[in-house]
Amino acid sequence: MGVLTKELRERLDKLSTTNVSDALDALGIKGSTIGVKKMYEGCDKIIGEAVTMKVVAAGLTKSTTHMGVNAIEAAKEGDVIVIDNGGREDVNCWGGVLSTGAKFKGVSGVVIDGCCRDLDECVELGFPVYARSTICATARGRVMEEATNVMVSFSGVQVRPGDVVVADITGVVFIPQERLTEVIEKGEMLLKKETDMCNDIKAGMSMLEVDKKYNYENMLK
């Protein structure tokens, strides 16, 4: 049993990655990433615990299984597969067959610090994919899986198995599992403040008045 209970998942679903990122900043936690985005229009928001996969260059040491198979096997329903390919955009590390396997295992989606391919199949499946870009070239002979469910680096963020992933139209953030409740509470507080600000603007208050009332510049302190 992981840290992401049904109640916490529902609360997190009401927050955007922007809210979560602000909460992480307010708490002094590094968790926001850059350059990884949804790969197709209509790609769903995803929330789940991380099943990590570390990718390395292919060479004389050979892999015993195809990349991604072990991560799918290790995943439970609702998890998110997190792939560390060091941000490489010259080689694929996730495709259609893996998306099919993950979808039918109940995996929420995949986030890739690198590239995917077979995007048409992912769209047809309705399987959410967040990555840096797409590419046609196969991973075979170019990269291989080094390890599954180990600590990885994703766009400069440390991610461990069981850390919580949130990805939406704005980007991808990671929440350390031991700080999950704290981050959600802070995110909810910040969301309420922003909602109140917008309501005051819609009611006729000027931006300057709102800025002063809510101390907008220092809202993360």
Side-chain angles (χ1 to χ4, degrees):
M1 187 70 176
V3 296
L4 190 59
T5 63
K6 183 175 182 290
E7 184 239 343
L8 291 177
R9 182 185 285 271
E10 288 172 353
R11 288 168 65 187
L12 200 50
D13 194 35
K14 294 173 184 174
L15 301 176
S16 68
T17 53
T18 308
N19 302 139
V20 175
S21 178
D22 285 352
L24 291 165
D25 280 346
L27 296 168
I29 304 168
K30 183 171 175 56
S32 297
T33 68
I34 300 170
V36 178
K37 54 191 179 296
K38 67 175 189 174
M39 284 290 100
Y40 60 90
E41 198 60 41
C43 180
D44 287 342
K45 175 180 181 178
I46 53 177
I47 299 168
E49 294 179 13
V51 174
T52 63
M53 181 172 82
K54 185 171 178 57
V55 178
V56 295
L60 293 182
T61 298
K62 305 300 180 185
S63 177
T64 55
T65 56
H66 184 66
M67 189 166 53
V69 171
N70 292 329
I72 294 169
E73 190 64 25
K76 64 183 185 299
E77 186 174 357
D79 284 348
V80 174
I81 293 175
V82 177
I83 303 176
D84 168 16
N85 195 21
R88 288 183 62 177
E89 295 190 51
D90 62 330
V91 63
N92 166 62
C93 58
W94 185 270
V97 174
L98 294 175
S99 289
T100 303
K103 173 80 174 182
F104 282 84
K105 186 73 185 287
V107 172
S108 291
V110 62
V111 295
I112 308 165
D113 194 3
C115 292
C116 66
R117 71 174 191 168
D118 302 326
L119 202 54
D120 52 343
E121 295 179 48
C122 302
V123 174
E124 189 176 330
L125 284 164
F127 183 73
V129 179
Y130 290 75
R132 292 197 175 274
S133 57
T134 58
I135 194 169
C136 303
T138 181
R140 293 172 184 83
R142 295 183 173 96
V143 290
M144 58 179 256
E145 179 181 334
E146 178 185 357
T148 301
N149 264 343
V150 296
M151 183 166 62
V152 298
S153 177
F154 190 106
S155 185
V157 175
Q158 182 188 100
V159 184
R160 303 155 302 166
D163 286 344
V164 174
V165 188
V166 185
D168 64 14
I169 191 170
T170 304
V172 180
V173 292
F174 296 98
I175 307 171
Q177 53 203 285
E178 51 277 83
R179 305 291 294 274
L180 178 61
T181 302
E182 186 183 4
V183 169
I184 291 174
E185 288 172 352
K186 177 63 75 171
E188 289 170 336
M189 185 194 78
L190 293 170
L191 174 60
K192 182 183 184 308
K193 191 169 188 177
E194 289 189 344
T195 302
D196 290 345
M197 290 171 70
C198 289
N199 286 339
D200 281 349
I201 293 167
K202 292 170 184 175
M205 192 177 287
S206 74
M207 275 304 307
L208 188 58
E209 289 171 325
V210 169
D211 186 28
K212 288 180 178 177
K213 177 179 177 179
Y214 292 94
N215 193 18
Y216 189 30
E217 179 65 19
N218 298 302
M219 70 179 291
L220 299 187
K221 294 181 180 178

